[in-house]
Amino acid sequence: MMVRRSFLAAGLAAVALPLPALAAALPRLQVWREENCGCCVGWVDHMRAAGFPIEDNVVRSVAAARRRLGTPSDLLSCHAGLVGGYALEGHVPAAAVTRLLAERPAGIRGLAVPGMPVGSPGMEIPGEAPDIYDVLAFDARGGRLVFMRFRGGTSV
């Protein structure tokens, strides 16, 4: 009996979900970005590769979307997003977004990576050492906390 359970568990662990099944498990990610931003396209590609279905909105200015999302002006980067009811700003790694969606911490309005840290998703620069940067969680009252810390695309 024990051998059979171990064999079954090992077999199930070896099965990987195909990308369409994984994408169906994640909510749609709406993105607002300007047309000529290459790093925004890189971030969208990163999120798509992580299994998020993407609604890519190319706009003249991201400002209106940020106002609707309630993104604080001191946390801005180059693109905005909305997923599962949470605002996203900048080069937030998929690992931070999936953690947010799994945990759904009370009071959090969204996640942001201010600026454009080298090595963050979409900001990979060949030959450049990746920055260490924080993914900040923000709330509706102006509160901030470090949600996760990354070096490039890896959590530290």
Side-chain angles (χ1 to χ4, degrees):
M1 183 70 147
M2 186 60 131
V3 171
R4 191 167 137 187
R5 282 187 190 157
S6 296
F7 179 76
L8 181 60
L12 290 175
V15 175
L17 285 176
L19 189 57
L22 180 61
L26 293 170
R28 177 179 56 133
L29 169 59
Q30 294 175 279
V31 178
W32 292 270
R33 64 178 181 86
E34 294 177 8
E35 182 177 13
N36 296 318
C37 185
C39 67
C40 296
V41 172
W43 182 76
V44 167
D45 290 345
H46 165 78
M47 297 303 283
R48 188 175 281 125
F52 285 91
I54 305 292
E55 176 188 311
D56 189 8
N57 299 289
V58 178
V59 295
R60 288 184 48 195
S61 172
V62 182
R66 289 183 174 124
R67 280 192 300 276
R68 280 194 317 275
L69 297 171
T71 306
S73 62
D74 62 318
L75 298 181
L76 300 184
S77 181
C78 56
H79 53 268
L82 178 66
V83 64
Y86 293 102
L88 301 176
E89 178 66 30
H91 297 269
V92 179
V97 177
T98 54
R99 178 182 160 203
L100 176 72
L101 294 170
E103 294 178 5
R104 296 205 167 270
I108 298 300
R109 174 175 257 167
L111 299 178
V113 173
M116 300 168 76
V118 172
S120 61
M123 285 298 300
E124 300 90 350
I125 301 173
E128 293 281 330
D131 293 333
I132 294 175
Y133 60 95
D134 293 330
V135 174
L136 302 175
F138 60 92
D139 64 24
R141 297 182 182 188
R144 314 273 195 286
L145 64 90
V146 174
F147 186 73
M148 292 180 80
R149 179 166 284 161
F150 286 81
R151 171 177 281 130
T154 305
S155 176
V156 294

